[in-house]
Amino acid sequence: METPYQNHIKKEDFNYVYEPAEDSFLLIDALEKDLEYLNKKNPTFCLEVGSGSGVIITALGMVFPNTVCFSTDINFKACLMSHSTAKHNNVKMDAINMDLATCFVQNKFDVVIFNPPYVVTDSEECGSHGIEASWAGGVKGREVTDRLLYMIPKILTPGGTFYLLLIEDNIPKEVVQIMSKLGFKSETIIERRVRNERQLVIKFYKKIIY
């Protein structure tokens, strides 16, 4: 997978939108590592929740040019940047100013990607519509993530896949347990230590019941 062209973005734009960092590129690496699986799935509709600059969903759209891509972000300026990133990389994508995935129809997406606000903060720091929304995760760094987990069964197709980035402070085992209760299997695709933080990307997919 290629890293999307980003020279259209001005440095000062990142005062308002999360700048691609190690976590962004770890998610791209995870998708690349899982590319054989994704090729077999041949996704039709893909969504990145909280897309920020749009580099992750754009990288996926570059590999699957016939896929219909969507992104959401509560930060309107992030939506503008995501749309611009996709356009400059010849990827067709709709960027929607939305809280998580609250307004989508049921069981639409074959792939959902989320690089959440995972930093442990006070609950009061959650709920911003600005750049703070990209990192302030509240208790366990999971208040935003946990809200999306319960939306996944509603927005993912029965054969769909959900890719989620977490750090150790988020207690990934608890996330796996929540998703298991919702009927999903899990698999850690990639993990990496960045400075004093262990980041990992977990893939979730539906259990097949015969």
Side-chain angles (χ1 to χ4, degrees):
M1 291 178 68
E2 296 181 32
T3 300
Y5 171 87
Q6 301 168 59
N7 290 350
H8 62 289
I9 305 173
K10 298 176 182 178
K11 187 65 178 177
E12 54 265 29
D13 292 338
F14 291 123
N15 292 328
Y16 308 99
V17 177
Y18 183 72
E19 183 173 1
E22 291 92 344
D23 50 0
S24 312
F25 299 116
L26 185 64
L27 247 172
I28 292 176
D29 288 346
L31 294 171
E32 182 176 47
K33 188 175 180 181
D34 217 28
L35 207 50
E36 184 178 350
Y37 168 89
L38 287 169
N39 274 316
K40 291 177 181 177
K41 289 289 185 179
N42 191 26
T44 301
F45 295 101
C46 295
L47 166 69
E48 182 181 6
V49 177
S51 58
S53 66
V55 296
I56 300 171
I57 188 65
T58 297
L60 187 64
M62 290 163 67
V63 176
F64 297 101
N66 295 322
T67 292
V68 181
C69 292
F70 293 83
S71 71
T72 70
D73 206 295
I74 199 167
N75 179 351
F76 182 67
K77 291 184 178 180
C79 294
L80 295 177
M81 189 181 292
S82 289
H83 185 268
S84 181
T85 298
K87 184 178 179 180
H88 278 84
N89 288 276
N90 298 313
V91 171
K92 294 181 180 179
M93 185 187 74
D94 284 337
I96 305 164
N97 187 206
M98 183 190 301
D99 178 22
L100 298 177
T102 50
C103 299
F104 285 120
V105 298
Q106 287 196 340
N107 306 119
K108 181 179 183 69
F109 297 104
D110 302 297
V111 175
V112 176
I113 307 163
F114 191 33
N115 181 10
Y118 54 68
V119 177
V120 178
T121 65
D122 292 334
S123 295
E124 291 74 19
E125 295 185 47
C126 295
S128 165
H129 286 215
I131 192 171
E132 300 83 8
S134 65
W135 69 71
V139 177
K140 300 180 186 178
R142 281 232 322 267
E143 290 189 38
V144 179
T145 298
D146 284 356
R147 286 178 54 221
L148 182 66
L149 297 183
Y150 291 98
M151 297 180 191
I152 293 299
K154 300 176 183 178
I155 64 173
L156 206 64
T157 57
T161 309
F162 172 44
Y163 294 90
L164 174 66
L165 186 139
L166 296 169
I167 63 172
E168 282 183 303
D169 287 347
N170 303 147
I171 317 178
K173 288 183 178 179
E174 288 187 0
V175 175
V176 169
Q177 289 171 354
I178 291 170
M179 293 301 286
S180 178
K181 290 178 181 177
L182 293 173
F184 288 86
K185 290 185 176 181
S186 63
E187 178 184 340
T188 299
I189 299 298
I190 195 170
E191 55 183 286
R192 188 175 296 160
R193 186 161 290 279
V194 180
R195 294 182 287 276
N196 296 322
E197 182 177 85
R198 186 175 71 95
Q199 300 176 349
L200 66 157
V201 176
I202 304 176
K203 174 173 76 173
F204 297 97
Y205 51 97
K206 269 288 186 180
K207 297 175 182 177
I208 299 175
I209 301 173
Y210 296 98

